[in-house]
Amino acid sequence: MKSTPISAGAGRDDPELDAIATCFVAARRECRPLGDYPGEVPADLRTAYRIQDRAIALWPDEIAGWKVGRIPPQVEARFGIDRLAGPIFAKGIRENGSSGPMPVFAGGFAAIEAEYVAVIAADAPADQRRWSMAQAAAMIADLRIGLEIASSP
């Protein structure tokens, strides 16, 4: 799957954003919690996605899909939106009843979330911003039920 950066300007040199992304990736690799946000909290969604893009580039796995998640209500006003997108990495996927370790962060956050998983038939047109229900439904090749072990440092 393509892992095109979400943010414009993801590759621009920014040591502060690189340091934040590096801290998140190190905490995730070491399965250790973070006491505080590792730097200045992004003022806007574009900056948040730039940090995410940098962290994706550091993570040793391929993106297998994308999750759309809820932004906490207390943060909605800052970003002007109530959802964001994040990667689903291939090594974390278990299909058809398979099992395997799904670690969580001691001292961090963990939850089991029931999910609808839409398998998308093809890339959506990059310039299309409005969708009818019929157009959106035509993009779905399959609909599945999933469980996410959501855990974060």
Side-chain angles (χ1 to χ4, degrees), residues 6-87:
I6 291 176
S7 67
R12 291 187 189 146
D13 186 36
D14 191 322
E16 183 178 345
L17 300 186
D18 290 338
I20 293 170
T22 298
C23 188
F24 279 133
V25 169
R28 188 164 289 281
R29 280 183 164 187
E30 297 164 15
C31 294
R32 66 175 165 78
L34 296 171
D36 291 308
Y37 193 88
E40 187 176 330
V41 176
D44 55 50
L45 197 57
R46 181 175 178 268
T47 303
Y49 276 131
R50 288 177 65 203
I51 294 167
Q52 177 177 272
D53 290 341
R54 285 165 159 72
I56 288 169
L58 295 171
W59 194 250
D61 197 0
E62 294 293 318
I63 295 174
W66 292 90
K67 175 185 172 141
V68 177
R70 180 91 163 88
I71 291 178
Q74 65 271 23
V75 183
E76 278 182 47
R78 173 185 296 158
F79 296 130
I81 195 165
D82 67 352
R83 307 271 185 228
L84 56 78

Side-chain angles (χ1 to χ4, degrees), residues 86-141:
I88 300 169
F89 291 102
K91 291 177 185 171
I93 295 176
R94 308 288 184 270
E95 292 189 53
N96 300 324
S98 65
S99 64
M102 298 297 283
V104 298
F105 293 85
F109 167 82
I112 297 174
E113 299 176 351
E115 309 281 354
Y116 290 109
V117 179
V119 178
I120 306 302
D123 284 348
D127 60 343
Q128 186 169 351
R129 297 288 182 254
R130 294 193 167 288
W131 293 79
S132 69
M133 289 298 285
Q135 289 172 317
M139 294 295 297
I140 299 174

